[in-house]
C-alpha cells in the first residue's frame, strides 16, 4: 500500500474556495470583520498594558464600561471618533492607511 501525498493549500486559496474571491461581497465582509476583530484585540491589549479596567477606560473616553467591552470584542459597532478617543485616552498613536487604487493615503 502506497501513501498518497496530501495536497497543500495556501490560506488565500482556502479563503477563495470557502469564503469567496477577493472583491466579492462575502469576502469583503469577512475581511472587514477580521480587521475589526484585530482592532478590538489591539484596544484590549493597550488597555491592559496601561493597567486600566474597562470601567476606567470608559470614564476617560466618556462611555460606559459595556461599550468598551463591545469594542474589545469587535470594533465593528464603533465610530472612528470613538476609536480615536479610545486610543488618545490610552496615550497610543493610531494611524489610518487608505488605499486609493495603487496609491496610499496615510492619516495620523
Amino acid at each position: 500500500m502506497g501513501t498518497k501525498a496530501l495536497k497543500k493549500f495556501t490560506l488565500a486559496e482556502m479563503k477563495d474556495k470557502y469564503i469567496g474571491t477577493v472583491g466579492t461581497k462575502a469576502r469583503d465582509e469577512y475581511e472587514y470583520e477580521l480587521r475589526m476583530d484585530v482592532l478590538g484585540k489591539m484596544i484590549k491589549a493597550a488597555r491592559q498594558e496601561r493597567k486600566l479596567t474597562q470601567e476606567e477606560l470608559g470614564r476617560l473616553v466618556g462611555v460606559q464600561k459595556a461599550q468598551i467591552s463591545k469594542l474589545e470584542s469587535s470594533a465593528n459597532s464603533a465610530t472612528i471618533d470613538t476609536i480615536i478617543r479610545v486610543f488618545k485616552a490610552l496615550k497610543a498613536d493610531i494611524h489610518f492607511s487608505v488605499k486609493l487604487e495603487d496609491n496610499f493615503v496615510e492619516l495620523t
Side-chain angles (χ1 to χ4, degrees), residues 11-43:
L11 178 58
E13 290 171 329
M14 295 300 289
K15 285 196 258 183
D16 286 349
K17 181 175 180 178
Y18 293 103
I19 299 167
T21 57
V22 173
T24 62
K25 185 176 188 232
R27 181 68 170 266
D28 288 348
E29 288 174 357
Y30 167 81
E31 297 293 342
Y32 174 79
E33 290 293 325
L34 183 60
R35 285 190 299 273
M36 294 301 102
D37 187 55
V38 169
L39 183 59
K41 287 183 184 350
M42 290 169 52
I43 290 168

Side-chain angles (χ1 to χ4, degrees), residues 42 46 50 84 87-88 90-96 107-108:
M42 290 169 52
R50 297 283 189 243
I84 290 170
F87 279 109
K88 281 186 179 184
L90 291 167
K91 296 180 174 70
D93 288 334
I94 183 168
H95 303 273
F96 291 99
L107 304 173
T108 57

Side-chain angles (χ1 to χ4, degrees), residues 59-76:
R59 262 185 286 175
L60 290 171
V61 176
V63 300
Q64 297 292 315
K65 173 189 180 276
Q67 189 169 351
I68 299 298
S69 178
K70 281 187 204 177
L71 191 59
E72 289 180 356
S73 65
S74 178
N76 66 355

Side-chain angles (χ1 to χ4, degrees), residues 44-58:
K44 183 176 183 176
R47 176 183 61 77
Q48 290 174 332
E49 178 72 23
R50 297 283 189 243
K51 298 184 180 7
L52 294 170
T53 65
Q54 289 177 338
E55 189 172 341
E56 290 168 330
L57 179 57

